[in-house]
Amino acid sequence: VWVLENSLQVVCEQKAYIVEPGEILLMNPDMVHEFHKVDEVCTFLCLQVDSNAFTAVRNLMLHTPQLKDYLSHQQMEQVRKLLAKLAGSYLEGKPFFELECISLVGGLFHAVLTSAPFHWVTLEEAKQQEARNARLERLLQFVDENYMHRICLTDFARQEGCSMSYLSHF
């Protein structure tokens, strides 16, 4: 997420970040997140990458999503230029733009990950994340199927075999 105009509040992993114009956040794969405006309007560019397309980084977790915490001013400028070129290529849609986009995303990952603090996800962490994502998908499907009726969290908790307290926190 690259904030272009005004501020944006991004909530992920129960932490809120105020992202100022020019700043960039990079979220880990499958990280649930929310965007909230701080001012009247906020303009931002959001790039979503299928982590399955980049298996080399699939099991990698950044310690913090804020690039300003670990990239120098010069590195941030390089990342902004790559993002701008990527957006331009995607929006122009010239023949084989997909290949250029994949190449630019690879360049972005390289520019960030050579300086970013991260750790490799253990097999146990990967299983927990997979189970969490599956539960979230089921919750979204439950809402999609039942939004026309009165929905109670207790119904979903019962369907999932977990307590209301746990599901509410989830």
Side-chain angles (χ1 to χ4, degrees), residues 120-153:
W120 294 104
V121 175
T122 65
L123 186 57
E124 182 61 31
E125 287 174 312
K127 285 180 181 178
Q128 288 174 353
Q129 185 65 36
E130 198 173 294
R132 185 173 189 266
N133 290 345
R135 176 168 279 156
L136 184 58
E137 286 293 323
R138 289 190 303 272
L139 177 59
L140 292 172
Q141 183 177 355
F142 181 80
V143 171
D144 281 345
E145 292 170 356
N146 296 288
Y147 73 94
M148 297 294 285
H149 313 287
R150 182 180 168 99
I151 299 176
C152 295
L153 203 52

Side-chain angles (χ1 to χ4, degrees), residues 53-133:
F54 291 90
T55 55
V57 297
R58 177 71 183 126
N59 292 323
L60 176 147
M61 290 291 164
L62 294 173
H63 293 181
T64 176
Q66 292 184 297
L67 270 58
K68 71 177 185 175
D69 289 351
Y70 47 85
L71 294 185
S72 69
H73 178 73
Q74 190 174 17
Q75 290 170 312
M76 285 294 292
E77 280 304 309
Q78 178 189 7
V79 169
R80 285 186 196 101
K81 285 179 184 176
L82 284 168
L83 275 172
K85 188 172 182 180
L86 176 60
S89 178
Y90 178 80
L91 293 171
E92 285 178 23
K94 292 181 181 176
F96 305 109
F97 77 94
E98 298 94 339
L99 294 174
E100 182 178 22
C101 288
I102 288 171
S103 173
L104 291 166
V105 169
L108 280 167
F109 281 151
H110 184 266
V112 171
L113 296 176
T114 53
S115 298
F118 67 87
H119 71 276
W120 294 104
V121 175
T122 65
L123 186 57
E124 182 61 31
E125 287 174 312
K127 285 180 181 178
Q128 288 174 353
Q129 185 65 36
E130 198 173 294
R132 185 173 189 266
N133 290 345

